[in-house]
Amino acid sequence: MLKKLLYGIIILLVVYLALCFAGPNKTYVIAKKNIQATPAAVFSQIVELKNMKNWSKWILEDSLIELTYPSQTAGIGGSYSWKSKKSGEGSMTIKSLETNKMIAYELAIKDWNTVSDVKMDLTPANNSVDVTWTLEAQKETPFYFRGMMLLMNMNGMIKKDFEKGLENLSQYLKTNPSLVSLNGFTIQESNFKTTDYLTKRATVKMQDIPTFFGTHLPEIGKAAGSSIVGFPCGIFWKWDEASMTTDMAAAMPVSNKNISNETYSVINLPNSKEYVLNYYGAYDKMKLAYESMDSVIKMNGYANPETVIEEYITDPMVEKDTSKWLTKIHFLVK
């Protein structure tokens, strides 16, 4: 009986060794899908790691997963980590990218003690994008684990998860074609409708912008009177970091084109495509919002906005809490 048991164990060991020889020496997975969206729309979902909750199979199917985000989650150096009983523990970091074409990550899975290179390539195809998602372990699988990898079809399981993630991404973009989330901001692609503004336009030193607004917006409001049809605005055509000046206007949208005077004149901004962001916070803390807007228009093929409008929805004289100040930022593009 003991001999039979030993023979059985030896046979199992021989079979498992054979499986180890036949098993994959490295984790390598590739999944592909054609997604009906623009390269910019797809890229915006994969360059901001907070967006993975919109389409990641592992996140969507694990209600107890704990996601941790550092200060930077988008662009090179952006990262996030996760922890849960079902999905284990790990992290992902963006290592390199090429806007609208490619993004490469480093994926570290603590439970498996593995680090892998993950890459998503985007190739335009008429009105869609061919997305290729690959994963390759940085180190070979230890010999004694290869049999298990073969028995579990580990590469095949990961490929199925990738395919499900790409299908989720495709479905998400079908229902959210014009929304982009980046650095915690939601940016909407829209159409700006032609608007007349009563304005005071000048080249202003950046440090003098608050004084410029304080001087002219109240007077513009008085001159516009009942013709006002919206909120006070700042309109910017040029922002010169070298000279620290800006070509700008203090402005108020109006319904009457015939209210110009010696100091204030009516200008018209025509119909245009635009990108819009709702910013909450102090006026001097908008840098990340502007960087996010700039990234999004570049994803969509625009070098710079033609015109920038800051629409001041919240009256700071009434609301003292700066975190509640809403400024609607419009990037008009051609």
Side-chain angles (χ1 to χ4, degrees), residues 45-56 58-60 62 64-75 77-83 90-94 105 181-185 288:
Q45 284 297 309
I46 65 176
V47 75
E48 165 59 86
L49 295 176
K50 287 183 179 178
N51 289 340
M52 293 195 75
K53 65 182 182 295
N54 298 329
W55 53 272
S56 166
W58 302 284
I59 296 175
L60 291 175
D62 189 350
L64 300 179
I65 194 168
E66 298 177 15
L67 303 174
T68 301
Y69 300 109
S71 58
Q72 182 183 351
T73 57
S79 66
Y80 87 109
S81 60
W82 74 87
K83 185 177 182 181
S91 63
M92 180 176 279
T93 304
I94 298 174
Y105 315 85
S181 295
L182 195 65
N183 296 317
F185 299 107
L288 186 58

Side-chain angles (χ1 to χ4, degrees), residues 249-262:
M252 195 77 73
V254 294
S255 59
N256 186 352
K257 297 182 179 182
N258 302 310
I259 55 173
S260 299
N261 57 39
E262 293 181 356

